[in-house]
């Protein structure tokens, strides 16, 4: 079994300020080109302001009769645009009811997600639950749905349901509705980068910001076959910029490991989904140090 512990070390931890404030719905947002997306073998379509990345993720489920945890493989689709991170998790359903699926999530994320309110929602006849949340003190919304084959989570972080763009994302979600013009996204898809109205601007240090970046999704790097065979272990340290446009750029390897692990760490870092740091009420680019620990057990 391989275990990875991901540490995202901001260069200075002395920060002030509260959560991300909802931003006004501007003419620039209004002109964003939203398109409908789906995934291979999925039952959903959803609209997003840019093409999402797609990656494998895992759902940890406690198996009571064996008193241990089992990992179920699923997919995550993620995008960021203008202050809001959009995520959609897809997992095979294990015949569990919706309430059990929600309980598993809440137990797993209770340290970082605070549930404020809930209500029923419906799409294509499927009943789900919608929660207003605080994600690390940032406004957000969570939707949960189950079908005969899948369990889905929609997550928007950076604004609440009163935001037109968040509402547009949530209300666009459709089940068993294969739209012919939907773009199919897979982990091998080449992501089409959409334009962003914000210039990346100068890069600042953590001492200069009033709110640090909010990490919404931090994927783990995978071992290469050669590194696993040779039992390579240790730490890779990267220096990078978390751009005000929501991209991880200017990645430099400061501490390396052999057998292709540097490349795996860089690939994982590029897929991080975050809300940029803020200074004086504006999103800014910030230097960070990222560490990935590789251990063979």
């Amino acid at each position: 079994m391989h275990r990875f512990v991901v540490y995202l070390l901001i260069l200075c931890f002395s920060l002030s300020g509260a959560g991300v404030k909802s931003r006004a719905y501007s003419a620039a947002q209004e002109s964003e080109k939203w398109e409908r997306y789906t995934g291979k073998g999925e039952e959903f379509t959803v609209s997003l302001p840019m093409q999402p990345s797609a990656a494998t993720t895992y759902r940890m489920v406690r198996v009571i009769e064996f008193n241990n945890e089992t990992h179920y493989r699923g997919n995550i689709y993620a995008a960021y645009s203008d202050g809001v991170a959009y995520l959609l998790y897809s997992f095979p359903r294990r015949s569990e009811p919706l309430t059990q699926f929600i309980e598993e999530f809440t137990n797993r994320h209770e340290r970082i997600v605070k549930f404020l309110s809930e209500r029923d929602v419906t799409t294509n006849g499927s009943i789900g639950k919608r929660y207003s949340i605080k994600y690390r003190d940032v406004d957000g919304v969570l939707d949960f749905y189950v079908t005969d084959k899948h369990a889905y989570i929609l997550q928007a972080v950076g604004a609440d349901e009163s935001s037109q763009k968040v509402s547009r994302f949530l209300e666009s979600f459709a089940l068993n509705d294969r739209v012919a013009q939907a773009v199919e996204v897979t982990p091998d898809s080449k992501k089409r980068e959409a334009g962003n109205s914000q210039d990346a601007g100068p890069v600042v240090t953590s001492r200069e910001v009033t709110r640090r970046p909010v990490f919404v999704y931090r994927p783990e790097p995978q071992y290469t076959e050669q590194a696993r065979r040779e039992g390579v272990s240790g730490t890779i340290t990267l220096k990078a910029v978390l751009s005000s446009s929501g991209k991880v750029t200017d990645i430099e390897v400061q501490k390396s490991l052999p057998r292709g692990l540097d490349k795996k760490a860089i690939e994982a870092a590029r897929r991080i989904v975050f809300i940029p740091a803020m200074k004086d009420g504006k999103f800014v680019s910030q230097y960070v140090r990222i560490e990935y620990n590789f251990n063979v057990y």
Side-chain angles (χ1 to χ4, degrees), residues 241-261:
V241 172
L242 299 185
S243 168
S244 63
S245 64
K247 299 179 180 65
V248 183
T249 66
D250 301 284
I251 301 174
E252 299 177 8
V253 179
Q254 295 189 320
K255 185 178 179 182
S256 179
L257 286 177
R259 306 299 182 259
L261 294 183

Side-chain angles (χ1 to χ4, degrees), residues 4-13 15 135-136 206 212-221 235-242 248 251 265-266 268-275 286-293:
F4 309 92
V5 181
V6 181
Y7 297 98
L8 289 154
L9 302 177
I10 308 305
L11 298 179
C12 174
F13 294 92
L15 299 163
Y135 183 93
R136 302 185 187 275
S206 59
R212 64 181 179 179
V214 178
F215 297 96
V216 183
Y217 171 60
R218 297 177 292 188
E220 298 174 341
T235 301
I236 291 176
T237 303
L238 307 176
K239 180 182 178 181
V241 172
L242 299 185
V248 183
I251 301 174
I266 291 171
R270 289 194 186 282
R271 296 199 305 271
I272 293 172
V273 178
F274 64 96
I275 300 173
Q286 181 188 327
Y287 290 110
V288 294
R289 188 170 69 249
I290 305 170
E291 289 189 358
Y292 292 105
N293 282 358

Side-chain angles (χ1 to χ4, degrees), residues 11-205:
L11 298 179
C12 174
F13 294 92
S14 177
L15 299 163
S16 62
V20 177
K21 296 180 180 180
S22 299
R23 309 185 71 201
Y25 191 70
S26 65
Q29 295 165 350
E30 205 169 50
S31 64
E32 285 179 325
K33 184 173 175 57
W34 286 64
E35 293 188 49
R36 188 164 285 274
Y37 299 93
T38 188
K40 186 175 182 179
E42 299 285 5
E43 298 178 85
F44 76 86
T45 61
V46 70
S47 292
L48 287 164
M50 66 179 299
Q51 181 173 313
S53 62
T56 299
T57 188
Y58 294 90
R59 172 189 176 193
M60 289 185 288
V61 178
R62 177 162 293 280
V63 182
I64 297 176
E65 56 267 35
F66 299 109
N67 194 31
N68 63 8
E69 288 187 330
T70 300
H71 291 72
Y72 288 87
R73 183 172 176 170
N75 296 311
I76 179 171
Y77 307 89
Y80 169 86
S81 179
D82 199 25
V84 178
Y86 306 90
L87 296 95
L88 194 155
Y89 294 85
S90 167
F91 297 102
R93 191 182 175 194
R94 301 169 40 251
S95 76
E96 72 278 26
L98 178 64
T99 52
Q100 182 179 334
F101 179 54
I102 295 173
E103 184 179 0
E104 287 175 1
F105 179 91
T106 55
N107 290 341
R108 181 69 58 183
H109 298 88
E110 60 184 353
R111 292 184 178 181
I112 59 175
V113 179
K114 181 179 180 181
F115 289 78
L116 305 178
S117 65
E118 70 171 86
R119 64 183 176 88
D120 291 338
V121 287
T122 304
T123 180
N124 299 87
S126 296
I127 298 176
K129 284 284 187 182
R130 176 166 298 170
Y131 294 84
S132 296
I133 63 169
K134 286 286 186 181
Y135 183 93
R136 302 185 187 275
D137 296 325
V138 177
D139 289 334
V141 185
L142 274 171
D143 279 6
F144 296 85
Y145 292 95
V146 293
T147 68
D148 290 339
K149 297 179 181 179
H150 292 92
Y152 290 113
I153 302 172
L154 281 81
Q155 184 177 24
V157 178
D160 59 25
E161 197 177 353
S162 66
S163 163
Q164 294 187 44
K165 53 193 174 183
V166 170
S167 178
R168 182 174 184 175
F169 164 65
L170 297 173
E171 300 309 320
S172 74
F173 181 70
L175 290 167
N176 302 310
D177 185 24
R178 303 293 295 188
V179 179
Q181 63 267 30
V183 178
E184 184 175 282
V185 181
T186 68
D188 298 325
S189 298
K190 184 176 181 181
K191 186 175 178 180
R192 175 176 54 78
E193 298 291 352
N196 195 294
S197 59
Q198 296 176 10
D199 184 2
V203 183
V204 302
T205 66

